[in-house]
Each structure stands twice: as C-alpha cells, then as structure tokens.
Amino acid sequence: MLSPDIKNEISQKIIASRQIAILTGAGISAESGIPTFRGNGGHWKNFRAEELATPDAFRRDPKLVWEWYEMRRSICKKSLPNPGHIAIAELEKQNSSKKFHLFTQNVDGLHRQAGSKKLTELHGNIFTGRCTKCNHIEENLDTPLSTLPPPCPQCSSPMRPHILWFGETYDPKMLENSIEFLRNSDLILIIGTSGQVTVPVYLAQEAIQAGAFSVEINPEESTLTSSVDISLRGKSGEILPQII
Ligand code: NAD
Ligand code: ZN
C-alpha cells in the first residue's frame, strides 16, 4: 500500500495539472499475462526479441519471424486489460477537460480495449500487417493465420507485421507531435518501461526537462529512475488504482 502522503501528493499534482502525458511500456501488460522482452519469458526458441524484431531477421527468414508473432498474437488475443490499463482509461475520462495523451510502446492493443482514446501506439500494433510491396495496411485478428507470411489482399506479396522494429525509424510527423505534446506537459506518469529503447526515453526526458512533475511506476529501477520526482516500486496494476 502507498502511504497516504504519497497518494495525496500525486492526487494534488493530477488535480493541478493542465496537460497530462503518460508513457507506458511492456510492464503495464505483464499482469495481463503478456511477457515483457527483458523479463523472464522474453525468449522464444532461444532467440531474443532483438534477434527477431528486425528487418534483417525478416529478410533472412520471414516465416520464422511470423511464427514468433503468431505466438505473441495468440497470447495478446487471450489477454484482457488489467486494473492498470483500466485506471489510465479512467484518468483520461476524469480529465476530459484537460489536454491528455497516452504514449505506449506496447503493440498489444490492451489500452484501446480498456477504453483509452487519446492514444499513440509508438511501435504499432500486433494485429495489423503491412504489405512489403505496395504498403497496404490491414488489421487481421485471426490467429493462427492460414499462411505465413500472409499474402497481401491487394497484390498477393508477403505482408509483414506493421510494427516498428529495432533499427527502423519512427514516422517523423508522429514524433514531432509527440515531442510537442511532451514539452508542454506539466505531469508525466512513466509506467512499466525499462528505458532501454532510446526514443521513448528521449520523449520522457523532454517532459522532465521542460519541468513536468514526473512519477515512475515499476517494480524495478529503470534508466529513468534517477530523473523522476517520485519513483514507486511496485506493480502498475496494484499502484495505479490507488492513485487514480
Ligand atoms: P521491457 O521489457 O524492456 O521492460 C519492461 C519493464 O516493465 C521492466 O522495467 C520491468 O521491471 C517492468 N515491469 C514488470 N512487471 C511490471 C508490472 N507489473 N508493473 C509495472 N512494471 C512492470 O519493456 P519496454 O521498456 O516497453 O521496451 C520493450 C519493447 O518491447 C518496446 O518497444 C515494446 O514495444 C515491446 N514489447 C511490447 C509488449 C506488449 O505490447 N505488451 C511486450 C513485450 C515487448
Ligand atoms: Zn500489396
């Protein structure tokens, strides 16, 4: 349980804020049963995520990469939002008169399922594919897929997951809008991210350096821990409902 003083301090900051930013990582979905990359369960057939979620891995063996995504898609499809996702959706509703935005590194779709609307999926969505030839984008919730890689419905070329892989560049417009929002935020909650991926860390630092009050929630320390005002050690599904 959080101390009443900490709860009170964070509640007061939420009430006083004009613009709220949230950054989430794989940790917020851990309690929904979706493994993080860097925790236990981040390996598959002796491959690390960093060896599979890359354009090179897909060029070498598209079927292998799709098989890994099939395994992850089936886990995501079975998973439900947990009290952490639900608390964030509730925070958005409670602050509908303010500027509010949720930036997630997660691809599992659970924030949307929990009811979050002002949302940017920085790394894409696991249920969306993109044609390697004509760039057609299509949502596909079927799992298992009948053919791997699935063929493009427009031109029959192989589709790839519509996900930002290691070594790929972010959409510049999305990045520009995100930076703008974070620089103008006066409160940021950083939840369940180890802070190993450069751009999300940079986004959080933009808000912190611009003077936003910053709260981290993570059972372990992250690369952002030393930069935040309050770092709460614990699970987001247990802590978020206490402060929201
Ligand atoms: P990460 O795997 O590097 O780190 C996860 C963090 O979550 C760790 O710091 C861990 O201590 C913390 N954590 C574990 N359980 C938690 C809990 N119950 N509550 C709060 N925090 C908890 O994840 P990352 O920083 O998001 O970076 C990994 C990359 O992997 C991202 O780009 C993301 O797109 C991708 N990814 C996404 C999913 C998903 O969509 N659910 C799952 C795995 C990886
Ligand atoms: Zn196509």
Side-chain angles (χ1 to χ4, degrees):
M1 282 297 270
L2 295 180
S3 77
D5 285 355
I6 289 281
K7 273 199 247 185
N8 197 30
E9 184 178 2
I10 298 172
S11 304
Q12 291 306 322
K13 293 289 181 189
I14 293 174
I15 291 164
S17 63
R18 293 170 295 100
Q19 180 159 328
I20 302 173
I22 317 252
L23 173 69
T24 64
I28 190 148
S29 295
E31 289 156 89
S32 294
I34 301 178
T36 61
F37 274 179
R38 294 173 182 88
N40 292 331
H43 286 68
W44 176 72
K45 293 190 179 174
N46 288 329
F47 293 104
R48 285 179 299 117
E50 291 87 337
E51 294 171 297
L52 293 164
T54 74
D56 275 351
F58 189 74
R59 258 191 299 276
R60 265 198 308 274
D61 196 342
K63 190 155 182 281
L64 176 80
V65 171
W66 265 110
E67 281 168 358
W68 178 58
Y69 275 100
E70 278 289 82
M71 177 278 291
R72 296 180 56 212
R73 283 161 63 96
S74 70
I75 295 175
C76 292
K77 204 169 171 186
K78 283 194 295 243
S79 304
L80 291 171
N82 66 55
H85 298 106
I86 293 164
I88 292 174
E90 184 58 31
L91 187 69
E92 178 181 336
K93 271 197 223 130
Q94 286 171 5
N95 290 279
S96 56
S97 60
K98 295 182 187 175
K99 290 194 176 154
F100 179 101
H101 205 83
L102 164 59
F103 300 87
T104 187
Q105 299 170 72
N106 296 347
V107 296
D108 54 38
L110 290 181
H111 281 302
R112 199 174 296 280
Q113 214 179 312
S116 286
K117 299 217 160 30
K118 296 173 183 165
L119 166 69
T120 298
E121 291 174 312
L122 294 164
H123 296 159
N125 188 294
I126 202 159
F127 294 107
T128 309
R130 180 169 87 239
C131 177
T132 52
K133 189 160 180 213
C134 75
N135 282 326
H136 174 71
I137 291 169
E138 184 145 308
E139 186 180 48
N140 188 342
L141 296 167
D142 299 344
T143 176
L145 294 160
S146 47
T147 320
L148 294 181
C152 171
Q154 304 280 341
C155 76
S156 305
S157 302
M159 303 278 279
R160 57 162 278 180
H162 185 40
I163 283 190
L164 190 87
W165 283 333
F166 293 105
E168 294 187 315
T169 46
Y170 290 71
D171 172 51
K173 191 73 203 155
M174 177 190 74
L175 211 49
E176 198 185 306
N177 291 343
S178 305
I179 292 169
E180 163 88 14
F181 191 92
L182 284 147
R183 276 192 190 145
N184 289 303
S185 298
D186 49 12
L187 176 69
I188 179 165
L189 307 183
I190 301 162
I191 305 157
T193 181
S194 63
Q196 312 264 340
V197 184
T198 319
V199 169
V201 171
Y202 171 78
L203 291 177
Q205 292 287 12
E206 282 292 306
I208 294 168
Q209 277 159 23
F213 187 80
S214 49
V215 180
E216 173 183 64
I217 302 173
N218 197 315
E220 289 171 31
E221 284 196 6
S222 79
T223 63
L224 283 157
T225 301
S226 58
S227 308
V228 297
D229 293 304
I230 297 182
S231 187
L232 302 173
R233 274 303 137 270
K235 295 181 176 178
S236 46
E238 292 170 6
I239 292 184
L240 279 168
Q242 294 181 56
I243 58 174
I244 292 172

